[in-house]
Amino acid sequence: MNTSAQLSNAKLKGRLLKDKLFTYTLIFLAFLSSVPLFLILFELIKKGYKQINISFFYKVAPDTMEAMVAVKNNEIIPGGIANGIVGTLIIVGMASLIAIPLGIICGMYLAENSKGKFAGIVRFIVDMLQGVPSIVLGVIGYIWIVKPITGGFSSLAGSVALSIMMLPSIVRSTEETLKMIPETLKEAALSLGVPYHKTMLRVVLPSGISGIISGVILGISRIAGETAPLMLTALGSAAISTDITEPSSAIPLLIWEFYNDPNLVDMIWSASLFLLFLILCLNLTAKAIAKRWKVQY
């Protein structure tokens, strides 16, 4: 008996030792993988805060001559990214108006008809869209909107391209969220005589609002930093443009323009820092919403 107890204790100690070794190894590897991220964030903050001031948010991007004079005199580059902020809000807003209703409806259909043949085709297309390069979506926006509808580059074309990019995350989050809702909830509403469409809109959909909104905000976060589709659709604008049929700027487009001008390098860091902060706020909002409206089943 003593021998068996000693063997059991030895095995237990061995398992605990392996568990600790594995845990510490994972912690070390996680820390090692996060070091480059923290270094990038540190560099971005260190170089980006210098240009951020009041005028950064309400003035348009400066031209090369203004930037050259400011750099030569060791002054803050005049101007800001107001045209990019307005353009981003318009383009992302229109993309959301297109993608959110369509994505939620598509997700509801897939959740309710998960084994259907047509649902399988739709699911395959959605999965395929997740892996399509963003530049291809820009080409699609150019073919669908730029050439036949607006006759030129426009924020409308950019929003269409970005809305296609948003769809997979919204569809998938809606489908997976609705699948977690118990069938008894829907059956209870139907047994009381509630029409099917009202059951879906007023019972099932509100029950999964947490996951759906999280998917929507994460989809918005994804498209807010895209550059490639906008280069072929919105193109960019030096002035603040609110006409959706005209070329429009966006923060990612401004970052690309600043990169091509050696006198505007400092503006790259500031615009990137602002975009990072914007996307961080969206992600934190998604987490807060998911926590606030989480439904336990």
Side-chain angles (χ1 to χ4, degrees), residues 68 70 101 108 110 112 120 130 137-138 174 181 194 198-199 221 239-240 249 291 297:
M68 186 185 300
M108 291 172 63
L110 293 179
E112 290 296 301
Q130 287 183 323
L137 300 180
T174 303
I181 297 175
V194 181
K198 288 186 178 181
T199 300
S221 300
I240 297 176
S249 186
K291 185 178 180 181
Y297 300 110

Side-chain angles (χ1 to χ4, degrees), residues 45-78:
I45 294 172
K46 184 178 73 172
K47 295 184 178 181
Y49 81 94
K50 299 177 182 178
Q51 291 294 137
I52 295 181
N53 48 46
I54 301 286
S55 62
F56 184 79
F57 300 101
Y58 71 86
K59 288 186 178 181
V60 298
D63 57 32
T64 302
M65 185 59 65
E66 292 175 336
M68 186 185 300
V69 172
V71 171
K72 186 176 181 180
N73 296 329
N74 292 323
E75 298 175 350
I76 295 177
I77 299 174

Side-chain angles (χ1 to χ4, degrees), residues 198-213:
K198 288 186 178 181
T199 300
M200 293 302 298
L201 293 177
R202 297 187 180 182
V203 178
V204 177
L205 198 60
S207 300
I209 194 67
S210 170
I212 295 171
I213 293 181

Side-chain angles (χ1 to χ4, degrees), residues 9-70:
N9 289 333
K11 288 181 178 179
L12 180 60
K13 289 181 180 179
R15 290 173 181 173
L16 290 174
L17 181 62
K18 289 179 181 178
D19 180 72
K20 289 182 179 180
L21 180 63
F22 187 72
T23 301
Y24 291 143
T25 302
L26 284 179
I27 293 173
F28 173 74
L29 292 176
F31 172 76
L32 199 64
S33 63
S34 63
V35 168
L37 174 63
F38 285 113
L39 290 176
I40 293 172
L41 289 175
F42 174 75
E43 193 73 12
L44 189 61
I45 294 172
K46 184 178 73 172
K47 295 184 178 181
Y49 81 94
K50 299 177 182 178
Q51 291 294 137
I52 295 181
N53 48 46
I54 301 286
S55 62
F56 184 79
F57 300 101
Y58 71 86
K59 288 186 178 181
V60 298
D63 57 32
T64 302
M65 185 59 65
E66 292 175 336
M68 186 185 300
V69 172

Side-chain angles (χ1 to χ4, degrees), residues 238-255:
I240 297 176
S241 175
T242 56
D243 188 349
I244 64 173
T245 62
E246 295 294 328
S248 177
S249 186
I251 298 175
L253 285 176
L254 283 180
I255 293 173

